[in-house]
Amino acid sequence: MLRRGLLAWVSRVGVLLVVVCCSLSLLYVMTCSPHTEDNLVSHALPRPGMGVGIGGAAGGTGAAQSGPTGRNGYQAMLAEREEQHKFHITSLKKQIAQLKEALQERSQQLKGVQDSMERGTGGGRGGQSPGGGILGEGGQGPGADRSHADLQEFLHSQLGRAEVHQGTRLPSEYAMVPFESFTLQRVYQLEMGLTRHPEEKPVRKDRRDELSEALETALQSLNTPRNGADKGHTTKVYSASDFIEGITRTEKDKGTVYELTFKGDQSREFRKLVLFRPFGPLMKVKNERVDTANVRINIIVPLSQRADKFRHFMHNFREVCVRQDGRIHLTVVYFGKDQMNEVRSTLENTSREINFKNFTLLQLNEEFSRGRGLDVGARAWKGGNVLLFFCDVDIYFTADFLNTCRLNTQPGKKVFYPVLFSQYNPTLIYGNHDYIPPVEQQLVIKKDTGFWRDFGFGMTCQYRSDFINIGGFDVDIKGWGGEDVHLYRKYLHSNLLVVRSPSRGLFHLWHEKRCADELPPEQYRMCMQSKAMNEASHGQLGMLFFRHEIEAHLHKQKPQRLNPAKKT
């Protein structure tokens, strides 16, 4: 028994000694083995024509090698350089992967902050939509660090300071920040920049990317299922073709708000999303279903004489309001008795021909006052809180504009002041009476056909309750002008949100402007300036002003074209 244990111990000691000896031998070989020339070769390749080789010999003696490096030496050096490049590329790939991983982690953390904010602000000042929370769903775990909490607090304060849910008291109309409207292909803008185009494809890439991101975010929100929401409605997959139009504006110290409108499940149903960029990640503010099927508009038109213009107005009204929309009431407030019978006859003929009964004709035997007429027409309505559209007889609008009117107003919340496109004199635009196209073909938004009438506030959509609560028009103002700015300023001084945006479906038709001789010189000069602004663009007026010089130049050029100079 003792012998057996002793033998086992000896065998283990022997194995251990063998292992130690092998390790020492291997270490000696690695340390003391001679270095080859390849290991001492410099990393730099020799220049052509060098008379001496790269220093280095076996054992490190430093003896110079005569003649250029041989073929094997070059291959060794190239192989070593290739290995270095491979190692460098591998290192860069690892760094890129690490950066991507860090970026993804940061994005997830930021998304968690955003989701937590959206959950915390759901049902805020704007009210909760029928389709679910105002902001996004989800949240952040309780383990968020202090920096994330600070970011959340900052973004939330930016949203609270911006005019997203409600308006802010403004000192005057000059402090108003207007919206821009846009579609998939065009942006309709007041600030036209160097191009001076009222509508255009976004020229700058950052502008295109900005609007594309807003659209993609809205589509993602619409197509993301929400638990317990919209159970009674069919599931629809939204795409860019469902996008109708949007409006956007930037408050430079707060962020950018986007309101995007999409087609709904039904013909008169829309989906509207409000997004906000607080100079950081985009946040969904509102996702609501807007049903306009029962939203009637009462169009109020003050009128005095101009029976021929009223017939043209009714031609467009018949097509757009009766045949296409079908949810319109017309109120005409007529001043005086002259041409009253013609106006009444036009209304009665329209009623009889297309079975239209939703109109009211009011007559006032007093001096014309636009503000007085609109005020009387608004207060005469007894059918509840109707949406009002204050209009003039020389205005052309489309069915799309009527939907825009409905979508940009909300009782007690928002009023809509569209910027219409004012048409230039067709005779000057097209150059000849014989080639003037029909009115429908003239309504093209280009810099040579008209301009955004951003100084006019007469066309507006607002609910009757808001109009009554704000105090209505100043009925002491006589004639045209002044009453619209007075009412506009009332809304700016209130807490209602004023939506000011160019409207691609609202046009002011050109008509001759007469400047009375009895006007004082200063007023007459201002009247003529206004008349010139409405006649044609700057370039077209310049061509008219210099037409004699242009004709003289063409006359001089004509003989040269007939008798070209001989080549020298």
Side-chain angles (χ1 to χ4, degrees), residues 246-307:
I247 59 175
T248 179
R249 71 173 176 180
T250 299
E251 295 181 65
K252 296 183 179 180
D253 60 339
K254 302 177 186 69
T256 303
V257 61
Y258 308 85
E259 295 188 17
L260 298 93
T261 303
F262 295 80
K263 300 175 184 177
D265 296 333
Q266 307 299 327
S267 60
R268 293 179 177 178
E269 184 181 275
F270 302 86
R271 292 299 296 268
K272 189 171 184 179
L273 278 84
V274 180
L275 307 173
F276 183 65
R277 187 197 302 276
F279 302 119
L282 203 63
M283 296 194 304
K284 182 179 66 178
V285 177
K286 185 183 295 185
N287 183 351
E288 62 179 354
R289 188 182 305 277
V290 182
D291 187 1
T292 63
N294 298 319
V295 180
R296 181 180 296 273
I297 299 178
N298 183 9
I299 301 179
I300 304 177
V301 180
L303 188 63
S304 178
Q305 301 180 349
R306 306 184 72 184

Side-chain angles (χ1 to χ4, degrees), residues 460-479:
T460 172
C461 298
Q462 52 196 260
Y463 276 87
R464 183 178 182 273
S465 59
D466 295 329
F467 177 78
I468 298 298
N469 293 335
I470 208 72
F473 284 104
D474 184 356
V475 295
D476 294 331
I477 298 177
K478 304 299 181 183

Side-chain angles (χ1 to χ4, degrees), residues 145-375:
D145 55 23
R146 182 59 188 170
S147 62
H148 294 163
D150 293 340
L151 177 60
Q152 174 182 344
E153 182 179 356
F154 171 76
L155 296 179
H156 184 65
S157 66
Q158 289 289 79
L159 176 60
R161 291 172 56 229
E163 280 192 83
V164 177
H165 294 298
Q166 65 179 19
T168 301
R169 294 179 183 270
L170 301 175
S172 68
E173 63 271 25
Y174 300 102
M176 173 66 183
V177 180
F179 284 81
E180 291 182 348
S181 58
F182 62 94
T183 61
L184 285 176
Q185 301 295 333
R186 292 286 188 271
V187 174
Y188 303 88
Q189 53 198 9
L190 295 179
E191 300 294 335
M192 295 180 286
L194 294 177
T195 62
R196 299 301 297 171
H197 290 307
E199 62 84 32
E200 65 180 5
K201 290 184 177 180
V203 177
R204 292 176 46 169
K205 182 179 183 299
D206 58 344
R207 181 62 165 155
R208 296 194 301 269
D209 293 344
E210 174 200 4
L211 298 178
S212 297
E213 182 186 1
L215 179 59
E216 291 172 2
T217 304
L219 288 173
Q220 182 180 4
S221 175
L222 287 173
N223 292 324
T224 300
R226 297 188 300 273
N227 295 331
D230 298 335
K231 289 184 177 179
H233 297 275
T234 59
T235 301
K236 174 180 179 179
V237 177
Y238 289 86
S239 64
S241 61
D242 296 312
F243 176 65
I244 300 175
E245 68 175 357
I247 59 175
T248 179
R249 71 173 176 180
T250 299
E251 295 181 65
K252 296 183 179 180
D253 60 339
K254 302 177 186 69
T256 303
V257 61
Y258 308 85
E259 295 188 17
L260 298 93
T261 303
F262 295 80
K263 300 175 184 177
D265 296 333
Q266 307 299 327
S267 60
R268 293 179 177 178
E269 184 181 275
F270 302 86
R271 292 299 296 268
K272 189 171 184 179
L273 278 84
V274 180
L275 307 173
F276 183 65
R277 187 197 302 276
F279 302 119
L282 203 63
M283 296 194 304
K284 182 179 66 178
V285 177
K286 185 183 295 185
N287 183 351
E288 62 179 354
R289 188 182 305 277
V290 182
D291 187 1
T292 63
N294 298 319
V295 180
R296 181 180 296 273
I297 299 178
N298 183 9
I299 301 179
I300 304 177
V301 180
L303 188 63
S304 178
Q305 301 180 349
R306 306 184 72 184
D308 55 339
K309 292 290 184 182
F310 184 70
R311 283 192 292 269
H312 290 292
F313 175 85
M314 289 303 298
H315 176 74
N316 178 55
F317 181 89
R318 175 186 306 193
E319 177 62 28
V320 173
C321 299
V322 181
R323 293 176 178 169
Q324 297 184 30
D325 192 273
R327 295 160 289 167
I328 302 297
H329 185 94
L330 176 63
T331 299
V332 179
V333 182
Y334 194 85
F335 288 82
K337 298 180 179 179
D338 188 19
Q339 300 185 18
M340 174 65 180
N341 291 333
E342 290 88 334
V343 171
R344 179 184 286 109
S345 176
T346 300
L347 285 172
E348 292 175 351
N349 290 338
T350 302
S351 175
R352 183 171 53 256
E353 291 172 2
I354 59 176
N355 193 26
F356 177 70
K357 306 296 182 182
N358 297 324
F359 70 91
T360 302
L361 177 61
L362 305 174
Q363 183 179 7
L364 300 178
N365 294 319
E366 54 189 77
E367 182 184 357
F368 177 81
S369 169
R370 184 177 185 272
R372 164 74 171 157
L374 294 173
D375 196 271

Side-chain angles (χ1 to χ4, degrees), residues 42 49 51 82 95 286 299 310 384 566:
S42 171
E82 185 178 359
Q95 295 180 32
K286 185 183 295 185
I299 301 179
F310 184 70
K566 295 182 180 180

